[in-house]
Each structure stands twice: as structure tokens, then as C-alpha cells.
Amino acid sequence: MAVDHFTGWIAERYDESAAETFVPAVVDPVVDLLTDLAGTGAALELGIGTGRIALPLSARGTSVHGIDLSSDMVAQLRVKPGAERIPVAMGDFAATSVDETFALACLVFNTIMNLTTQEEQVACFRNVARHLEPGERFVVEVGVPDLRRLPPGETARPFLVSPTRLGFDEYDVAQQRLVPHHHVLTDGQWRATSIPFRYVWPAELDLMARLAGMELEARWGGWDRQPFTAESRAHVSVWRKPG
């Protein structure tokens, strides 16, 4: 059963805690590419959250629909200008359906890893395929598992150390499990969050797409369509549903 980890103060402070991902230099390349891929059609964003991508995409003229499990995150979306144009279906995006088909579906910012079993990730691809019009695309942005930086015999690696924020990743390599632990100093009080992920390899995602009847069309090292290489820390992949 899907678990909503983005409740209460986590949702209330989400935009603040991820402020560096809301700046135009980060958002604009995402919206540019999604707008190009959607063309004149509608887009479905899985894990729409507080609208970081959906709102500017909608402002560009793309009709956007969303799916999200967290009512608290969607409540943050609802108070923002332009949110009234974006319908959101509440539920697990691996299984929740809407009564429309789309020219584009997208799942950004590592959100595929919030599905913590391979079965759920496969179900997500199949759910997307049901919602895509023939010949249209599914876009996923996700990090490449960073295991080369994990010393042999160790299970944790820090990724952020500052006076107000501490973060480290905890790995279970045998199970492909990853738990990012965040400790944030807020209003003089340290708050901790630990949200479980299942990391996934690019080739594994390609197989999931094939099981759902989709084919890899492109893979880049980022939203600016730079080449994907062995040194890429993340990838943006596009699969197409055959026409």
C-alpha cells in the first residue's frame, strides 16, 4: 500500500526546503522540453506535488492534469495563482486513473523512486501507457545510482553538510533500497525526515517500458539535452508508445 510521506510540516515547508529547484535556471529547461514534447496536446504529471513544474507548464499554454497521493502537498498547490486550471486526481500514481488520454506524461525529480518496489514501478509504466495516446511519450527524470561513491563495506554517504542542513543517504544494495535522511534547522529546532526510495538503473527502466509496450526514444544527461555518459549523475529519458 502506498504511504504518504509528505504530510504536515513537510508539505508546508516543501517549497522552502527545495528552494534551489524552484529558480528559473532550474525550472525553465524542464518546462521548455516538456512544452516541446507535448506540442498542442495535454500533459499528465505524476506526483504533481506543489506545482513546481505544472504551474509554469500550464502558464505556457499546455493543458496540465495531475495525480498525487498527498492531499497536504496538493493543498499547497491550490493556494497558488493558476492552480484553478489544473485538475488533480488524488491517489497512488502507479494505479490511479483519470478519464482522459494525453500527449505527454512526466515524472520528474526522482519521484519514480518513491515507488519502493519493482512491482510498483512496473505498474506505473503500465498505468502511464494506458493514459498515453498512440505515438506519444513518457518522460522520467531520475538520478543514476551513486554506488561508485560508496566505499566497500559502508552503507551511508553524506550529501549535504551545512550549519542548518545535514543529509546523508543510507543504502541497502541487496534490495536496491535508498533512504535519504534530512536534518533541517528550522525556527531554532532540528527536524528530521527519512523517506524510503527504491533506486533504479536506466536499463531496468527500459525493460519496464518494454513490458508496458513502450520503446526508448531518447536519453539525455539533463533537461538541456546534453549527452548521457558514464559520468552523468542523472538522466532524462523519453519512451514512446507506438502509434
Side-chain angles (χ1 to χ4, degrees):
M1 178 181 296
V3 178
D4 179 7
H5 295 282
F6 297 88
T7 60
W9 70 270
I10 296 176
E12 292 169 5
R13 294 184 176 270
Y14 181 83
D15 290 10
E16 176 187 342
S17 67
E20 68 278 4
T21 70
F22 282 77
V23 298
V26 175
V27 171
D28 288 351
V30 183
V31 176
D32 289 344
L33 181 54
L34 295 180
T35 300
D36 183 40
L37 294 176
T40 59
L44 175 66
E45 183 178 4
L46 312 180
I48 194 171
T50 67
R52 180 179 72 97
I53 300 304
L55 287 169
L57 183 60
S58 175
R60 293 276 190 96
T62 298
S63 175
V64 180
H65 293 233
I67 299 175
D68 206 286
L69 181 66
S70 174
S71 58
D72 287 356
M73 291 285 278
V74 174
Q76 297 298 312
L77 164 66
R78 286 290 170 230
V79 300
K80 298 178 181 179
E84 68 281 357
R85 298 192 298 269
I86 302 176
V88 179
M90 300 306 304
D92 176 2
F93 60 73
T96 300
S97 298
V98 299
D99 294 329
E100 295 189 42
T101 55
F102 299 88
L104 178 72
C106 61
L107 187 52
V108 306
F109 200 40
N110 295 323
T111 307
I112 184 71
M113 295 197 298
N114 287 119
L115 301 174
T116 56
T117 69
Q118 187 182 71
E119 291 77 12
E120 291 173 317
Q121 292 172 348
V122 169
C124 175
F125 273 79
R126 287 177 168 152
N127 193 32
V128 166
R130 288 191 291 269
H131 286 88
L132 285 179
E133 297 164 1
E136 302 300 354
R137 302 174 177 97
F138 180 32
V139 181
V140 172
E141 175 197 19
V142 65
V144 177
D146 211 9
L147 300 187
R148 288 189 300 174
R149 297 174 180 270
L150 188 68
E154 297 190 12
T155 59
R157 187 182 72 83
F159 60 82
L160 177 63
V161 178
S162 78
T164 59
R165 296 180 66 183
L166 302 173
F168 65 92
D169 287 330
E170 181 182 5
Y171 288 88
D172 179 343
V173 177
Q175 299 295 325
Q176 283 185 221
R177 297 294 176 87
L178 165 63
V179 181
H181 300 277
H182 296 264
H183 300 265
V184 181
L185 183 62
T186 305
D187 300 327
Q189 179 182 1
W190 284 96
R191 295 180 181 268
T193 60
S194 299
I195 297 175
F197 286 162
R198 180 186 187 270
Y199 64 80
V200 60
W201 301 95
E204 189 181 6
L205 290 170
D206 291 342
L207 182 55
M208 293 179 187
R210 289 178 61 190
L211 291 172
M214 295 184 283
E215 301 171 350
L216 181 68
E217 180 177 80
R219 173 165 291 131
W220 300 294
W223 291 102
D224 290 322
R225 306 191 199 209
Q226 58 264 44
F228 177 73
T229 72
E231 301 305 316
S232 297
R233 304 289 297 277
H235 62 98
V236 174
S237 295
V238 183
W239 297 273
R240 181 189 284 270
K241 179 178 179 177

